[in-house]
Amino acid sequence: MYVLSVVEGQNLATDNVTVIEGESATISCRVKNNDDSVIQLLNPNRQTIYFRDLRPLKDSRFQLVNFSENELRVSLSNVSLSDEGRYVCQLYSDPPQEAYADITVLVPPGSPIIESRDDVVSEGNETELTCTAIGSKPAASIRWMKGEEELTGEATVEETYDRMFTVTSRVRFSVTKDDDGVPVDCIIDHPAAKDLLAQRHLEVLYKPEVKIVVTYPEGLTREGDNLDLSCIAEGKPHPNQINWLRVDEDVPPHAVVTGSDLYIENLNKSYNGTYRCVASNSIGEAYDDYILYVYDAPTTSPTPTTNPVNTQDSRAGEGAPQKIDHAVIGGVVAVVMFAILCALIVLGRYFARHKGTYFTHEAKGADDAADADTAIINAEGGHNNTDEKKEYYI
């Protein structure tokens, strides 16, 4: 890895070099318009590494890569932290010139170490993890990931005597049962290292989760049926006790409890109520309820001659639309018409037996009078001598 910056004299140039410890670095001294002046390379202690194409320094890690009138290029293999410093390119011109190449050595950290304050933690409690990156240059940075969630840690940096750094990061968080088995990663970011991390899986203890499953019957529970309930309980640690009870009442005397199952035969309405399964472990307890309602036993009815009308249990679907029975309506209308007809017949017979009687002018003798005066006299009292005329009505 190289980070380049140019340092220029009048005719001499070189580059700064950044290299990872243990790798190779190359130093290049370049001359523009060289007039046969001599080029040499010095180390940070100003000892001559190469004079033209000759190597006075007895360090075989330095090797000549290229020598010409315009360049002196030297490689340094297996770079160590002690090789860091300022190297000097010299040109014996008039006046003499110098250019400087700074070698920076990067030291990657060792494998990170992750530790947990608690090997096992109960749900709802807080845990703390520590990650350490030892011996890096420059100091590393540490990131935390819990599954897909990034956590924020608190880091401390310690510089050692040999210009190295140790970084420690701590992270604290509360756990839930969903965190059980989730990996927590300590990720190291450093220019000299890639994909450097340490991982630890959380182990979380949690109270049971309880669910009641109806094994039998399927559908409504009716008188005379049997009931079979199964209690499923999961927790960490696994539930060590599972109990069945009936809320506010005793469990029927002939109910059979086998492990996590409850069996009641020949149901009747007196068994109605709430049945509860309670499971517990060292962390806590939990329960699930089943409400039993026993319906009437089904009755046998004759096969209908018309399309049957759908019916629904009152507890299973209240408010279902009711269908109109036209036969009933026709019967009611027939009864009403019959009652009206009977009333007419009775009234007719009543009027026939109570006939009305009245006298007309003819009955009063008006027809027998010679003139009007005589007719009036006859009408006032002389009708006894005349024939009585009658009219009848019904």
Side-chain angles (χ1 to χ4, degrees):
M1 183 192 309
Y2 297 92
V3 179
L4 304 180
S5 63
V6 177
V7 181
E8 294 189 356
Q10 292 181 350
N11 294 307
L12 187 63
T14 188
D15 304 315
N16 292 332
V17 179
T18 300
V19 61
I20 298 175
E21 184 181 38
E23 297 185 357
S24 297
T26 300
I27 304 171
S28 176
C29 300
R30 299 180 300 276
V31 181
K32 297 178 182 178
N33 304 320
N34 190 8
D35 57 358
D36 259 349
S37 298
V38 175
I39 307 172
Q40 74 171 352
L41 177 64
L42 309 178
N43 67 14
N45 296 323
R46 300 194 71 87
Q47 296 171 325
T48 301
I49 301 173
Y50 266 91
F51 181 83
R52 295 177 65 89
D53 57 348
L54 300 176
R55 190 187 72 204
L57 189 67
K58 298 183 183 297
D59 188 343
S60 60
R61 295 182 304 146
F62 289 98
Q63 295 292 321
L64 183 65
V65 177
N66 181 53
F67 173 72
S68 67
E69 292 182 353
N70 298 319
E71 183 185 33
L72 172 61
R73 189 189 311 165
V74 177
S75 69
L76 171 60
S77 62
N78 193 24
V79 176
S80 67
L81 191 60
S82 62
D83 295 321
E84 191 173 66
R86 174 166 288 187
Y87 290 73
V88 183
C89 293
Q90 283 188 340
L91 179 65
Y92 284 96
S93 60
D94 187 18
Q97 299 178 32
E98 289 186 351
Y100 305 102
D102 291 328
I103 291 184
T104 301
V105 179
L106 304 179
V107 181
S111 298
I113 301 171
I114 187 170
E115 297 175 324
S116 177
R117 183 183 64 190
D118 310 296
D119 292 333
V120 179
V121 59
S122 300
E123 64 174 332
N125 291 342
E126 185 180 78
T127 189
E128 177 181 293
L129 279 76
T130 302
C131 183
T132 304
I134 302 174
S136 67
K137 180 179 176 296
S141 61
I142 298 177
R143 295 182 294 118
W144 291 95
M145 294 292 295
K146 185 185 75 171
E148 299 298 325
E149 178 187 359
E150 185 166 1
L151 305 176
T152 302
E154 299 177 357
T156 57
V157 180
E158 178 185 358
E159 184 176 0
T160 60
Y161 66 92
D162 53 358
R163 295 177 295 165
M164 306 284 277
F165 297 89
T166 296
V167 181
T168 301
S169 179
R170 290 179 174 82
V171 65
R172 299 178 183 87
F173 55 91
S174 297
V175 298
T176 67
K177 65 180 182 61
D178 296 329
D179 291 325
D180 184 46
V182 173
V184 177
D185 295 332
C186 163
I187 304 170
I188 308 300
D189 293 326
H190 192 272
K194 292 182 179 179
D195 303 325
L196 193 59
L197 63 84
Q199 187 178 84
R200 188 180 184 93
H201 288 81
L202 296 173
E203 186 172 356
V204 181
L205 304 180
Y206 53 91
K207 67 181 182 181
E209 292 181 317
V210 184
K211 183 179 180 182
I212 296 176
V213 177
V214 181
T215 305
Y216 185 86
E218 295 181 359
L220 299 179
T221 50
R222 299 185 180 276
E223 287 187 305
D225 286 347
N226 298 330
L227 177 65
D228 195 354
L229 302 179
S230 181
C231 182
I232 300 175
E234 297 292 338
K236 190 172 182 178
H238 191 75
N240 53 18
Q241 189 171 6
I242 296 178
N243 295 322
W244 281 95
L245 58 89
R246 186 180 179 189
V247 178
D248 298 330
E249 296 181 77
D250 294 332
V251 175
H254 65 281
V256 178
V257 176
T258 305
S260 61
D261 297 334
L262 172 66
Y263 178 76
I264 306 175
E265 64 179 6
N266 195 21
L267 293 174
N268 61 63
K269 291 182 179 293
S270 67
Y271 298 160
N272 288 346
T274 300
Y275 291 80
R276 175 171 296 174
C277 173
V278 182
S280 61
N281 61 12
S282 59
I283 306 304
E285 70 174 29
Y287 65 86
D288 191 25
D289 288 338
Y290 171 78
I291 299 176
L292 173 63
Y293 183 84
V294 179
Y295 291 86
D296 293 333
T299 57
T300 303
S301 57
T303 303
T305 57
T306 59
N307 291 331
V309 179
N310 291 332
T311 60
Q312 233 174 354
D313 186 87
S314 61
R315 290 176 62 90
E318 295 182 26
Q322 298 181 353
K323 295 189 176 182
I324 299 174
D325 194 333
H326 296 284
V328 173
I329 295 177
V332 172
V333 172
V335 171
V336 172
M337 294 300 296
F338 179 75
I340 293 174
L341 182 61
C342 291
L344 290 176
I345 293 173
V346 170
L347 289 175
R349 292 179 61 85
Y350 175 81
F351 286 120
R353 292 186 178 185
H354 298 76
K355 300 175 182 178
T357 302
Y358 65 92
F359 295 98
T360 63
H361 291 293
E362 292 81 1
K364 294 179 180 181
D367 290 340
D368 297 335
D371 51 30
D373 292 336
T374 305
I376 292 172
I377 294 171
N378 291 338
E380 292 177 349
H383 60 276
N384 294 328
N385 297 326
T386 63
D387 295 333
E388 187 174 296
K389 295 185 178 181
K390 299 180 179 179
E391 290 186 6
Y392 302 91
Y393 68 91
I394 297 175

